[in-house]
């Protein structure tokens, strides 16, 4: 024990006195959010009840077209939240607000996360090839493949069942 | 030549469970078990294969924590004593069971085996890294790295933390093996977009991901998992083959569950009388595994039968034949439909072999022999050798994925573990800040910083949340996590206060001798100012821009100047072609940048479009002279449409790649195209974008705009933010006294045009004055909208609160910012917003519109506010909040300044730009 502290039995800080808000991807359908507010922010809120909103962002660009997908009034002393039943392959951002008279004041926004896709890509993006950095070939480069996705799916057991 | 290949990957990792301060920590036995049951037996297998002249290739990844523990002399000594004691126990068991028909031979089997382990360990002199190194030198093993403490990258907050995990691992690998690793095992195959950039920056050529990571890539990989893919940054990814995984990993149908194999849970450490076995247990009483297990799996809910090592060996051989036969069939079928030799990637935790699956090493032995028996069908290969044969692979975007249950992050992020992440993320940020604030630390300060880095790395270990979720050694994992965060905080407080306690530091250091050569600067946000690996040492760049200081109208001039200077400082030769400037000749050398100005006589046209044509013709002429005098150039980099024609023609004439930076669009500036001139300019912008090989823009917003307006694929657009030169922003200047009765100062800097939204800010003033009392709005800038703004201010009765002070130079800008209580940028259209960055860098709280590129700069409620664009009421609310609550404003400005340093520094931007240059040159078939 040094400095009056046992460095093998330490505890975590209760508070960081800072505004933090971070979204993390859990899986293709759910997100975890944690937040904390500095003492001054809590003082300003003056006991107003907080609301948490989750937006699904436009695929094109962020903007007023973003869709509010979930909104929850937060119980007191809540510092985190799970959002479930979301769409894979979409982007999301969360926001904490509070009610003042007849308007919702936004206090903090989180980072943006992109949920992974839940299935193979079905679009028509062009197939491109590139070299791996720093690898010196010992043979001739591979030719472009001459097999269609349909042929692949029909012959390789791993892909069977993929519609 | 074979039909195809098999990559067998063994991933070796243990959490850092070495406690030098005590020798009775139960968890340290995990190392002993792994040595006895896995690593030593595997080495025996490899050496026996070589002795029998069986060729094989296996890929082995070793974490830094494992390397550290295996090479620690105290731990080696402790293990040696443990092994001796276990041999003694085996001897006692042989005596005890000498009359037992069922177990006598098993006891003898263990005694022989353990004695052999002891001899082998003595032969290695306690360090098994040496024989592994030798096997790699002989070509039988490819040893790769993994993250330093097995940190799970997708859940780390930022690239700096990811890079630190990878870079320290690479450094530790080099320390042990004297060379760079070719590839990396991502912990838990945890991948998120952007991780590949980190791997590329650290010189790594490949990694592994789970099956669905390959299957769900975009576009769909044409070879499935039977070939690696390549990320945009040029790092290859090998996908796990699901079939070979199932055969080994599946609890019910996999090989290890066969009834003949040894039962894991029946150990004499639990079965025998404590009076007998106690001498071999920790503390004489804590029942743990001894490794002596006498039963076989037998089946579910039946009495366990005695283990028969010979029968188990025969089964292992049978399973090996089955495994290889299936792999041969797999590659034969795949080879029939793809036009290269397919590769099956079979990765496993190394500790599965020998520890969980006792016969595992024997199985590997038989697999290698079976494959060697027929080299025409299937051959073992390492990833590096496969990539040498097939360096060209399909370029894809890989989504987030892992090999954890569920396929994503839930194994590490769930209600039992979520509490950890706030603490580790705050610690990550704090570590980076400490590193940036102490770039040249020495002595006790440096020791503190290095130990902080160690504690953070250890806190990030994915083992802690994994163990907590699995519910095994929960208390131990929680305690470890808390202690690492706690020790970090103790040391960070010392650093920030300047009051050091050497005794505490010594005590904390003594807990971990991990990564002895760690350098805390791995956490510096500006550390990666070196040229990215694998690109040309110096580019000769022809950079075209109509604006360049001192000819400055908007942010373009400053951007081009700062970029040119940053590239020059990295060793590139930059030639800027630009307009005339008063008081400047046609050529100057400005901080190493060659500045060539068109002669004023060449720009005589009255009409704007004619003037632009003259400028472009003059630049084309000038390019010929430059090539003659300086030699050939590597590429052309042009900024905005005004110089687009010249850029395209120069690129055509000299067959050079063209990189275009589009800072803003005519459509965006005017919210549409309303007249012939705007439509004409739009057409030129479109041509400029399409002609370029790659397009750079400053924000995600601009990327979408360019893609939409000019039909440009997203794959051809790169987002690189603008930057600010912190040295140009002075803070803490003496504040000039404000006018009596003025109250707080609100500042706006920028051009006075409608898109900058100053009219919204003026409209918000009455509400602000009502909320906080008298304020002074200082508007610094010039533009055609100024008179309208003055009229507006007068009409709504706030004219005396608004000062229009015109354009300000850098010094006066700094002075103005130092007076400001808040800086506001209420743009209606803003591709980026350099002035907002400058205000943040000056430590002024900032409010911007929630639009365009400004969104990429501010984190709402964390380092500033984002106000709804065009909404005077909400803008006024946020301004009032920051004026009324200076402590909150101070939180914001501190974070804002930090974010500018981390995200928007020119060195980082120059490095990213070089990456684009390399890519453009590569696309043009040039040496890059």
């Amino acid at each position: 024990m040094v400095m009056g502290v046992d460095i093998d039995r330490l505890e975590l800080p209760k508070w960081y006195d800072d505004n933090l808000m971070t979204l993390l991807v859990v899986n293709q359908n759910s997100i975890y959010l944690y937040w904390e507010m500095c003492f001054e922010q809590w003082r300003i809120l003056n006991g107003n009840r907080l609301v948490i909103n989750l937006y699904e962002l436009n695929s094109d660009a962020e903007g007023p077209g973003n869709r509010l997908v979930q909104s929850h009034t937060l119980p007191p002393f809540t510092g985190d939240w799970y959002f479930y039943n979301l769409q894979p392959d979409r982007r999301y951002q969360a926001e904490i607000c509070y009610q003042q008279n007849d308007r919702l004041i936004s206090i903090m926004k989180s980072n943006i996360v992109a949920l992974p896709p839940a299935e193979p890509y079905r679009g028509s993006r062009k197939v491109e090839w590139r070299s791996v950095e720093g690898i010196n070939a010992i043979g001739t480069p591979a030719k472009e493949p001459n097999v269609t996705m349909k042929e692949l799916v029909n012959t390789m057991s791993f892909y069977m069942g993929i519609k | 030549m074979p039909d195809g290949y098999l990559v067998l990957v063994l991933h070796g990792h243990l959490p850092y469970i070495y406690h030098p301060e005590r020798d009775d920590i139960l968890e340290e036995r995990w190392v002993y078990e792994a040595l006895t049951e896995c690593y030593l037996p595997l080495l025996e297998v490899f050496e026996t294969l070589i002795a029998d002249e069986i060729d094989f290739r296996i890929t082995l990844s070793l974490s830094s924590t494992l390397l550290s523990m295996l090479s620690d002399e105290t731990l080696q000594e402790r293990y040696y004593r443990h092994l001796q004691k276990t041999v003694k126990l085996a001897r006692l068991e042989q005596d005890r069971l000498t009359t037992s028909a069922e177990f006598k031979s098993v006891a003898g089997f263990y005694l022989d085996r353990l004695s052999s382990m002891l001899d082998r360990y003595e032969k290695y002199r306690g360090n098994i890294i040496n024989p592994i190194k030798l096997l790699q030198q002989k070509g039988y093993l490819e040893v790769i790295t993994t993250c330093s403490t097995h940190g799970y990258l997708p859940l780390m907050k930022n690239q700096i933390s990811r890079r630190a995990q990878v870079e320290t691992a690479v450094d530790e690998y080099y320390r042990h093996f004297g060379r760079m690793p070719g590839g990396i095992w991502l912990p838990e195959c945890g991948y998120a977009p952007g991780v590949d950039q980190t791997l590329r920056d650290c010189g790594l050529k490949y990694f592994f991901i789970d099956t669905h990571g390959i299957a769900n890539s975009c576009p769909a990989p044409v070879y499935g998992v039977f070939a690696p893919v390549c990320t945009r940054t040029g790092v290859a990814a090998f996908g796990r083959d699901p079939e070979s995984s199932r055969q080994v990993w599946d609890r019910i149908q996999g090989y290890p569950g066969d009834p003949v194999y040894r039962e894991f849970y029946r150990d004499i450490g639990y079965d025998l009388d404590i009076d007998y076995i106690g001498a071999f247990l920790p503390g004489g009483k804590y029942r743990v595994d001894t490794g002596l297990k006498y039963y076989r799996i037998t089946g579910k809910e039946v009495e366990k039968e005695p283990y028969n090592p010979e029968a188990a060996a025969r089964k292992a051989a049978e399973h090996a034949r089955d495994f290889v036969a299936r792999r041969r069939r797999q590659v034969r079928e795949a080879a029939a439909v793809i036009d290269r030799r397919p590769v099956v990637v079979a990765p496993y935790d190394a500790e599965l072999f020998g520890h969980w699956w006792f016969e595992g090493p024997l199985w590997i032995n038989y697999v290698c022999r079976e494959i060697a028996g027929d080299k025409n069908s299937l051959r073992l290969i390492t990833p590096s050798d496969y990539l040498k044969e097939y360096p060209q692979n399909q370029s894809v975007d890989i989504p987030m994925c892992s090999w954890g249950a569920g396929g994503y992050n839930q194994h590490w992020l769930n209600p039992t573990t979520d509490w950890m992440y706030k603490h580790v993320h705050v610690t990550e940020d704090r570590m980076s800040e400490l590193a940036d604030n102490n770039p040249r630390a020495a002595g006790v300060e440096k020791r503190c910083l290095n130990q902080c880095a160690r504690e953070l790395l250890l806190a990030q270990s994915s083992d802690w949340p994994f163990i907590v979720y699995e519910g095994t050694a929960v208390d131990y994992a929680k305690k470890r996590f808390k202690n690492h965060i706690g020790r970090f905080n103790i040391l960070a407080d010392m650093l920030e206060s300047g009051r050091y306690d050497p005794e505490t530091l010594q005590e904390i250091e003594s807990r971990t001798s991990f990564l002895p050569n760690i350098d805390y600067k791995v956490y510096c946000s500006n550390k990666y100012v070196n040229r990215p690996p694998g690109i040309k040492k110096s580019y000769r760049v022809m950079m075209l821009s109509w604006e360049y200081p001192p000819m400055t109208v908007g942010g373009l001039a400053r951007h081009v100047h700062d970029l040119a200077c940053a590239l020059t400082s990295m060793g590139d030769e930059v030639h800027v072609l630009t307009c005339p400037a008063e008081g400047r000749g046609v050529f100057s050398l400005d901080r190493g940048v060659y500045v060539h100005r068109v002669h004023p006589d060449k720009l005589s046209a009255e009409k704007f479009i004619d003037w632009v044509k003259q400028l472009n013709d003059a630049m084309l002429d000038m390019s010929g002279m430059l090539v003659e005098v300086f030699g050939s150039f590597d590429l052309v980099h042009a900024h905005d449409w005004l110089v687009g024609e010249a850029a395209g023609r120069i690129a055509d004439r000299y067959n050079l790649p063209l990189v275009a930076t589009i800072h803003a669009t005519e459509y965006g500036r005017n919210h549409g195209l309303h007249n012939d001139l705007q439509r004409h300019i739009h057409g030129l912008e479109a041509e400029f974008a399409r002609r370029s090989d790659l397009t750079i823009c400053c924000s995600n917003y601009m990327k979408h705009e360019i893609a939409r307006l000019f039909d440009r694929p997203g794959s051809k657009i790169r987002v690189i933010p603008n930057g600010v030169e912190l040295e140009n922003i002075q803070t803490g200047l003496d504040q000039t006294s404000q006018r009596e009765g003025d109250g707080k100062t609100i500042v706006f800097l920028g051009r006075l045009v409608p898109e900058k939204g100053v009219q919204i800010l003026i409209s918000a003033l009455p509400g602000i004055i009502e909320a906080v009392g008298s304020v002074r709005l200082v508007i610094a800038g010039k533009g055609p909208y100024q008179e309208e703004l003055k009229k507006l201010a007068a009409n709504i009765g706030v004219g005396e609160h608004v000062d229009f002070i015109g354009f300000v130079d850098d010094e006066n800008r700094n002075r103005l910012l130092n007076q400001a209580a808040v800086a506001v940028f209420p743009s209606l259209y803003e591709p980026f917003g350099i002035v907002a960055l400058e205000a943040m860098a000056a430590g002024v709280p900032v409010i911007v519109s929630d639009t365009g590129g400004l969104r990429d700069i501010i984190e709402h409620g964390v380092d500033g506010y984002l106000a709804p664009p065009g909404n005077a009421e909400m803008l006024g609310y946020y301004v009032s909040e920051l004026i009324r609550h200076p402590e909150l404003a101070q939180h914001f400005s501190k974070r804002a300044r930090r974010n500018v340093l981390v995200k928007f520094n020119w060195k980082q931007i120059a490095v990213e730009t070089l990456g684009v240059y390399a890519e453009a040159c590569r696309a043009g078939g040039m040496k890059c």
Side-chain angles (χ1 to χ4, degrees), chain A residues 2-3 5 7-14 16-22 24-28 32 34-36 38 40-41 43-44 59-64 80 82 91 98 100 103 105-109 116-121 125-147 149 152 155-159, chain B residues 155 157 200 205 211 215-224 226 230-234 236 242-243 334 337 339-340 387-388 391-395 397 399-400 408-410 413-415 418-419 421-423 425-426 479 482-483 485-487 489-490 501 503-504 507-508 511 704 708 850 855 860-862 865 873-874 877-878 881 885 887-888 891-892 895 922:
Chain A
V2 285
M3 285 170 65
V5 170
I7 65 167
D8 296 315
R9 286 184 205 286
L10 296 170
E11 289 298 326
L12 296 169
K14 296 269 184 288
Y16 288 103
D17 189 22
D18 207 352
N19 279 13
L20 320 163
M21 190 166 173
T22 301
L24 295 170
V25 173
V26 177
N27 58 32
Q28 71 274 39
Y32 172 73
Y34 72 77
W35 68 86
E36 192 180 297
C38 61
E40 185 63 19
Q41 185 74 75
R43 211 175 59 76
I44 294 167
S59 58
D60 189 5
E62 300 91 336
D80 61 358
Y82 282 90
R91 296 186 311 141
Y98 75 94
Q100 191 191 64
R103 62 183 180 178
I105 308 286
S106 170
I107 302 167
M108 253 198 306
K109 282 187 182 174
E119 56 185 24
Y121 176 73
R125 207 173 107 182
K126 191 180 153 203
V127 173
E128 292 177 341
W129 299 80
R130 66 157 292 161
S131 307
V132 175
E133 288 283 339
I135 294 284
N136 299 315
I138 56 170
T140 52
K143 292 181 299 199
E144 266 199 26
N146 190 22
V147 57
M149 276 307 295
L152 199 81
T155 54
M156 299 176 84
S157 60
F158 164 62
Y159 278 114
Chain B
L155 291 178
K157 191 167 180 205
R200 209 282 291 266
K205 298 178 185 53
T211 318
N216 295 347
S217 288
C218 174
V222 294
Y223 294 146
F226 291 107
C230 196
T231 66
R232 281 181 208 267
T233 53
E243 202 181 309
V337 290
D339 66 345
R340 61 157 72 179
L387 290 174
K388 280 181 192 154
Q392 289 269 330
N393 291 283
Q394 186 183 349
S395 178
D397 293 323
M400 181 184 281
Y408 301 100
N409 301 333
Q410 59 263 46
L413 175 58
N414 52 71
D418 52 29
W419 54 274
Y421 291 96
K422 178 175 75 173
H423 298 287
H425 291 161
V426 168
K479 187 170 139 187
K482 289 180 182 179
N483 283 343
I485 297 288
R487 290 169 195 167
N489 285 330
I490 289 172
D501 181 339
E503 201 185 319
T504 302
E507 188 74 14
I508 292 175
R511 294 294 187 270
H704 295 301
R708 192 178 68 247
D850 190 4
R855 283 202 192 99
H860 178 68
V862 174
Y865 278 132
E873 190 193 349
M874 284 311 301
Y877 170 85
Y878 288 124
E881 280 295 281
H885 303 290
E887 295 90 350
L888 183 65
H891 271 285
F892 285 6
R895 288 290 292 270
R922 210 169 23 239

Side-chain angles (χ1 to χ4, degrees), chain B residues 405-623:
Chain B
Y408 301 100
N409 301 333
Q410 59 263 46
H411 215 81
W412 300 274
L413 175 58
N414 52 71
T416 66
T417 63
D418 52 29
W419 54 274
M420 293 177 159
Y421 291 96
K422 178 175 75 173
H423 298 287
V424 88
H425 291 161
V426 168
T427 308
E428 287 173 18
D429 284 343
R430 200 174 178 196
M431 181 71 231
S432 187
E433 194 167 344
L434 286 169
D436 285 336
N437 290 345
N438 298 279
R440 283 172 282 278
V444 69
E445 194 182 53
K446 188 174 179 181
R447 280 172 58 202
C448 263
L449 285 160
N450 285 343
Q451 191 60 31
C452 277
R454 283 191 196 94
E455 301 296 341
L456 170 56
L457 287 168
L458 288 165
Q460 288 174 322
S461 173
S462 67
D463 301 290
W464 314 135
F466 185 90
I467 290 169
V468 168
Y469 181 61
E470 292 282 307
T472 50
V474 174
D475 288 342
Y476 177 77
K478 283 183 176 176
K479 187 170 139 187
R480 285 292 304 269
F481 178 79
K482 289 180 182 179
N483 283 343
H484 289 306
I485 297 288
R487 290 169 195 167
F488 174 95
N489 285 330
I490 289 172
L491 296 171
D493 288 344
M494 279 191 209
L495 284 158
E496 285 169 1
S497 67
R499 292 190 297 274
Y500 298 96
D501 181 339
E503 201 185 319
T504 302
L505 172 59
Q506 171 78 30
E507 188 74 14
I508 292 175
E509 281 174 328
S510 71
R511 294 294 187 270
T512 51
S513 56
F514 175 60
L515 296 182
N517 294 345
I518 194 171
D519 183 351
Y520 71 91
K521 289 193 287 293
V522 73
Y523 281 99
C524 282
S525 53
N526 289 336
K527 180 174 190 285
Y528 251 103
V529 297
N530 298 323
R531 294 181 88 74
I535 70 165
K536 208 172 165 194
K537 283 196 171 58
S538 173
Y539 288 110
R540 180 174 288 139
V541 182
M542 204 179 291
M543 191 170 289
L544 276 59
S545 171
W546 80 280
E547 257 191 83
Y548 196 81
M551 164 68 165
T552 300
V553 177
L556 177 60
R558 172 60 55 78
H559 171 100
V560 176
H561 172 267
D562 290 348
L563 175 63
C565 291
L567 287 168
T568 302
S569 75
M570 301 202 74
D572 298 285
E573 185 181 315
V574 181
H575 294 256
V576 173
L577 279 63
T578 188
C579 283
E582 201 171 313
R584 298 295 174 99
V586 293
F587 173 74
S588 58
L589 197 58
D590 172 23
R591 286 173 62 181
V593 177
Y594 297 81
V595 184
H596 309 275
R597 298 181 191 281
V598 169
H599 198 283
D601 291 349
K602 297 220 182 249
L603 304 177
S604 57
E606 298 259 338
K607 283 169 73 175
F608 175 56
I609 292 299
D610 294 339
W611 182 90
V612 171
K613 182 86 175 52
Q614 284 180 338
L615 174 66
N616 280 265
D617 287 342
M619 284 185 170
L620 181 63
D621 290 341
M622 199 185 287
S623 70

